[in-house]
Amino acid sequence: MHPELRSRLLAACGPGHLLDDPDLRASYETDWTRRFTGPAAFVARPPDTAGVAAVVAACREFGVPLVPQGGNTGLVGGSIPRAGEAVLSLRRLDRIEDFDPVAGEVTAGAGVTLQALQEFVRPHGWDVGVDLASRASATIGGMVATNAGGVRVIRYGPMRHQVIGIEAVLADGAILARLPGLLKDNSGYDLPGLLAGSEGTLAVVTRVRLRLIPARPARAVALLGLPSLAAALELLRAVRRQAPGLEAAEVFFPEGLELVQRHAGLPPPFPRPHACYLLVECAGAHDPAPALAAALESAADPDAALLAVSRPERDRLWAYRERHTEAISAEGIPHKLDVTLPAARLGDFESLVRARLAETSPHVRPVLFGHAGDGNLHVNILGADPDDESPDDAVLRLVASLGGSISAEHGIGIAKKRWLNLTRSPADIQAMRAIKRALDPAGILNPGVIFDLEPPPVVSS
Ligand code: 2HG
Ligand code: ZN
């Protein structure tokens, strides 16, 4: 490393926070799935926004591209170096500030974990609108940068909907500050909205002002075994109409349940197996259990229906769904696809995708689960070589042909950029490239994520 770059980085990060020893870099160089891995030139861990700005400015001057990284829970290779870029870790920006318990707003540094923020606001009667299984490691900055979804989108929307202000470092080291944020603000382009979901390619998110949701202490969770996804979706329609405060509507299937039982040591939830499992959660100020039980009464088989109200019982039911990701990972290195379908096509998609994979890649094992209420299924594929993209290709082409999107919540990263043109038009991609060129002309922020600056050869649709 050039001595001047080293001294500027050391001044920005402080002693012990510029890591170039391979052992110290290792945990920043491989993603959670273990599918994406690459050597970093170094890892810079600045303590605050000024430090981030100084790192970005120095790296830009010396032509070192940067990969911003939060809790490293991404699943699409978007926060892992690919060609010797440096990792810019935001984890030390972990301050929670300016909590307004009257308005229900808070400012979180990019490195605050979701769980730390939940634990901070909940005793005051507030909660974070987004929740996800990796809450102990996922950071608020990464969740905004990827527009994370999770299990409450059906009620509160994804991360972008929670953001009312943002502070971010631009590619030239300038600090863009839209803090503290206003609930209504139509004074020009919505920059926080643009940066949410930009996957670290336009700016480095350093602080975020979030609107909170009222904590809803009265909760009820139901887990149901059903004969098909179509039956689960039909029951969900009834729950939506009749049960107040639906917060989550999740599905999984026997292949995922078997992995969860085996790797997490959980007992079967019901005396006999079912083709599809639906988990719903309702929450409000008053006990939602009676209305939820009434909504389920006519449709659910009493031997395949569990209702939980107390926290430990609810957690016990949620474990069947939340532990899918770790159980799949314990079985092998999956290809992870994360797709949305128009609501009316979701039921067809489940059977079509299994048939398509059986035909095109008979050696792979698909594991499906996801957020039924959002039309979002996670298609995990076990048994495929890490570099064999043919099963991914088969699934994503099917999604495109049914009018869906190739990414519902995990983003494009590097894993899916080959297929971006299947569901985004040439005009869309051209506009995104123009924004990237305007904000990061030297291409130092997360190069090669979402798309390459020079158009790659296209996949014919
Ligand atoms: C979830 O819904 C996450 O649990 C992870 O989005 C999905 O592991 C996956 O594919
Ligand atoms: Zn998900």
Side-chain angles (χ1 to χ4, degrees):
M1 190 188 317
H2 192 289
E4 189 193 329
L5 176 61
R6 177 177 293 277
S7 75
R8 284 176 61 180
L9 293 172
L10 275 173
C13 297
H17 292 290
L18 177 63
L19 317 178
D20 46 13
D21 180 304
D23 289 346
L24 298 176
R25 290 188 336 237
S27 66
Y28 299 85
E29 295 178 330
T30 297
D31 82 330
W32 196 92
T33 65
R34 310 186 303 283
R35 182 170 174 217
F36 299 102
T37 181
F42 55 83
V43 178
R45 293 171 34 97
D48 53 21
T49 305
V52 173
V55 169
V56 172
C59 286
R60 180 169 181 205
E61 273 174 51
F62 284 86
V64 179
L66 288 165
V67 175
Q69 190 183 92
N72 196 7
T73 57
L75 300 171
V76 290
S79 60
I80 292 298
R82 300 158 289 276
E85 299 90 346
V87 170
L88 171 52
S89 168
L90 282 308
R91 278 188 229 173
R92 290 177 72 208
L93 280 72
D94 60 356
R95 284 180 56 193
I96 300 176
E97 305 162 278
D98 297 330
F99 173 53
D100 180 340
V102 177
E105 294 173 9
V106 71
T107 298
V112 172
T113 64
L114 172 59
Q115 185 167 311
L117 191 61
Q118 289 171 331
E119 285 170 2
F120 180 88
V121 300
R122 280 180 182 164
H124 302 278
W126 294 99
D127 207 342
V128 185
V130 167
D131 193 17
L132 31 82
S134 56
R135 58 185 73 80
S137 314
T139 56
I140 297 297
M143 288 173 62
V144 171
T146 57
N147 188 28
V151 294
R152 313 258 180 245
V153 172
I154 193 171
R155 185 154 185 193
Y156 305 112
M159 205 60 190
R160 183 182 284 123
H161 295 189
Q162 325 304 318
V163 174
I164 51 171
I166 211 162
E167 177 194 79
V169 172
L170 299 174
D172 61 358
I175 298 171
L176 179 152
R178 299 289 300 158
L179 290 169
L182 300 166
L183 273 187
K184 298 180 96 173
D185 182 3
N186 263 352
S187 56
Y189 297 157
D190 176 18
L191 296 176
L194 174 66
L195 296 187
S198 64
E199 300 189 41
T201 61
L202 300 180
V204 181
V205 175
T206 49
R207 281 197 292 175
V208 191
R209 185 96 179 136
L210 296 175
R211 71 197 300 179
L212 300 168
I213 55 157
R216 304 191 196 277
R219 292 182 172 269
V221 174
L223 179 65
L224 306 138
L226 293 148
S228 62
L229 177 58
L233 295 174
E234 167 122 28
L235 185 54
L236 178 56
R237 277 192 286 278
V239 173
R240 270 184 137 152
R241 276 194 308 270
Q242 293 170 42
L246 182 66
E247 284 217 339
E250 303 283 308
V251 280
F252 51 92
F253 298 90
E255 74 275 2
L257 178 62
E258 189 275 321
L259 291 179
V260 170
Q261 287 179 193
R262 187 147 49 82
H263 291 290
L266 300 183
F270 302 117
R272 63 176 184 87
H274 297 270
C276 180
Y277 298 87
L278 173 70
L279 180 147
V280 289
E281 175 160 354
C282 293
H286 306 290
D287 181 9
L292 179 57
L296 298 172
E297 201 173 42
S298 55
D301 165 359
D303 287 337
L306 294 167
L307 187 68
V309 173
S310 72
R311 179 72 196 256
E313 280 301 297
R314 293 191 329 251
D315 290 351
R316 195 179 74 75
L317 297 189
W318 263 109
Y320 289 106
R321 162 62 183 87
E322 281 206 324
R323 300 192 74 171
H324 267 66
T325 301
E326 68 183 75
I328 292 165
S329 211
E331 190 76 358
I333 298 182
H335 288 220
K336 286 189 169 285
L337 299 171
D338 154 51
V339 302
T340 350
L341 280 302
R345 309 309 301 268
L346 192 63
D348 294 345
F349 173 75
E350 189 247 330
S351 41
L352 288 173
V353 78
R354 291 184 195 281
R356 184 69 60 92
L357 284 170
E359 182 193 322
T360 58
S361 310
H363 56 291
V364 305
R365 281 162 64 198
V367 182
L368 272 54
F369 61 101
H371 315 287
D374 309 329
N376 170 195
L377 280 184
H378 296 307
V379 181
N380 279 239
I381 298 167
L382 283 165
D385 195 84
D387 296 328
D388 174 12
E389 293 187 325
S390 52
D392 310 48
D393 190 65
V395 174
L396 297 179
R397 283 175 189 278
L398 175 64
V399 168
S401 74
L402 295 173
S405 165
I406 64 166
S407 174
E409 52 179 15
H410 299 166
I412 299 298
I414 57 164
K416 285 174 252 165
K417 68 179 184 178
R418 213 188 116 191
W419 294 280
L420 188 63
N421 68 310
L422 289 181
T423 57
R424 298 295 301 251
S425 70
D428 280 357
I429 297 176
Q430 203 182 341
M432 290 196 278
R433 279 211 176 91
I435 294 168
K436 170 73 177 170
R437 279 203 192 93
L439 287 181
D440 181 18
I444 69 150
L445 294 180
N446 230 2
V449 160
I450 306 180
F451 46 72
D452 291 309
L453 258 187
E454 293 314 318
V458 293
V459 177
S460 59
S461 38

